[in-house]
């Protein structure tokens, strides 16, 4: 069993990395492999709506997104983490997630999703909701915790002083580990639900 972590912070050792380290400690104790991809300091452009991925199964902009897509295909869970910028996630992470979720043709049903949101002060809830939308449009169950997955700190390392935030991240990792193991155990015993036929509508008549 494997979890892919995408760190959207531009800082290598900031509060996002410190928060994720807590989750990784739990995953290791649960015997779950972790691959951590740091993308916040990379140049990743947004989707250009060219639709080429529908024919090729990969993004036409051949950069880190396609590399992450291969990792996404083989993982059992995905953690997306970002610091809060202007009450929103880091733009680099959003560009990657937009293109990743749209272009990756691998089955996403029942892969477990979660996000972690560090901030100095405000904008956490908006960012938390923003990131969870990628999972809920992709039939990915969202792992929850004992509070929203928010942790506070300004200077690098200060997140470690947020006792409730640390507890929240650790409980998130425990719950996510349980869900992944439970889904793996049920894989051969319970069939996945049959999706309804596709229907694509709009409001222009």
């Amino acid at each position: 069993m494997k979890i892919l972590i995408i760190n959207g912070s531009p800082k290598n050792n900031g509060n996002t990395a410190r928060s994720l380290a807590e989750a990784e400690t739990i995953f290791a104790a649960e015997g779950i492999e972790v691959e951590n991809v740091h993308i916040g300091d990379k140049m990743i452009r947004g989707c250009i709506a060219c639709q080429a991925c529908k024919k090729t199964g990969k993004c036409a902009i051949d950069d880190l997104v396609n590399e992450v897509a291969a990792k996404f295909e083989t993982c059992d869970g995905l953690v997306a983490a970002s610091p809060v910028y202007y009450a929103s996630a880091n733009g680099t992470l959003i560009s990657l997630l937009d293109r990743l979720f749209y272009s990756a043709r691998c089955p996403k049903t029942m892969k477990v999703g979660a996000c972690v949101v560090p901030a100095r002060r405000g904008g956490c809830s908006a960012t938390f909701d923003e990131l969870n939308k990628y999972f809920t449009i992709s039939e990915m169950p969202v792992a929850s915790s004992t509070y929203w997955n928010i942790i506070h700190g300004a200077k690098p390392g200060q997140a470690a002083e947020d006792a409730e935030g640390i507890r929240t991240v650790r409980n998130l990792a425990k719950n996510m580990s349980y869900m992944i193991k439970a889904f793996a155990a049920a894989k051969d015993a319970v069939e996945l639900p049959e999706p309804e036929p596709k229907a694509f509508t709009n409001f222009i008549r």
Side-chain angles (χ1 to χ4, degrees), residues 7-73:
N7 182 348
S9 172
K11 298 178 181 178
N12 287 314
N13 298 300
N15 287 311
T16 306
R18 180 64 185 83
S19 305
L20 291 172
E22 292 293 331
E24 291 185 61
T25 299
I26 299 297
F27 293 140
E30 294 287 343
I32 295 177
E33 180 185 352
V34 173
E35 182 167 6
N36 195 319
V37 181
H38 182 222
I39 63 97
D41 59 349
K42 304 296 189 295
M43 295 295 293
I44 301 173
R45 66 172 299 170
C47 177
I48 59 173
C50 67
Q51 305 293 329
C53 59
K54 289 187 175 181
K55 297 179 180 179
T56 65
K58 65 178 184 178
C59 187
I61 306 169
D62 194 14
D63 59 7
L64 186 60
V65 171
N66 287 329
E67 294 179 33
V68 174
K71 302 176 190 297
F72 189 25
E73 183 174 4

Side-chain angles (χ1 to χ4, degrees), residues 70-85:
K71 302 176 190 297
F72 189 25
E73 183 174 4
T74 60
C75 75
D76 301 289
L78 172 67
V79 177
S82 175
V84 175
Y85 292 162

Side-chain angles (χ1 to χ4, degrees), residues 55-124:
K55 297 179 180 179
T56 65
K58 65 178 184 178
C59 187
I61 306 169
D62 194 14
D63 59 7
L64 186 60
V65 171
N66 287 329
E67 294 179 33
V68 174
K71 302 176 190 297
F72 189 25
E73 183 174 4
T74 60
C75 75
D76 301 289
L78 172 67
V79 177
S82 175
V84 175
Y85 292 162
Y86 287 91
S88 178
N90 180 4
T92 302
L93 178 63
I94 294 302
S95 291
L96 181 134
L97 292 177
D98 281 353
R99 289 170 51 206
L100 174 67
F101 274 80
Y102 193 77
S103 67
R105 299 299 161 183
C106 63
K108 304 175 186 70
T109 304
M110 298 306 156
K111 289 181 186 284
V112 181
C115 65
V116 175
V117 181
R120 182 193 69 83
R121 189 169 177 86
C124 300

Side-chain angles (χ1 to χ4, degrees), residues 15-16 18-23 26 115-119 124 145-153 158-173:
N15 287 311
T16 306
R18 180 64 185 83
S19 305
L20 291 172
E22 292 293 331
I26 299 297
C115 65
V116 175
V117 181
C124 300
S145 186
T146 42
Y147 195 77
W148 298 293
N149 310 328
I150 293 164
I151 189 164
H152 289 92
Q158 282 187 336
E161 300 174 32
D162 181 1
E164 185 175 1
I166 292 292
R167 175 181 182 267
T168 300
V169 171
R170 291 176 66 86
N171 284 331
L172 170 68

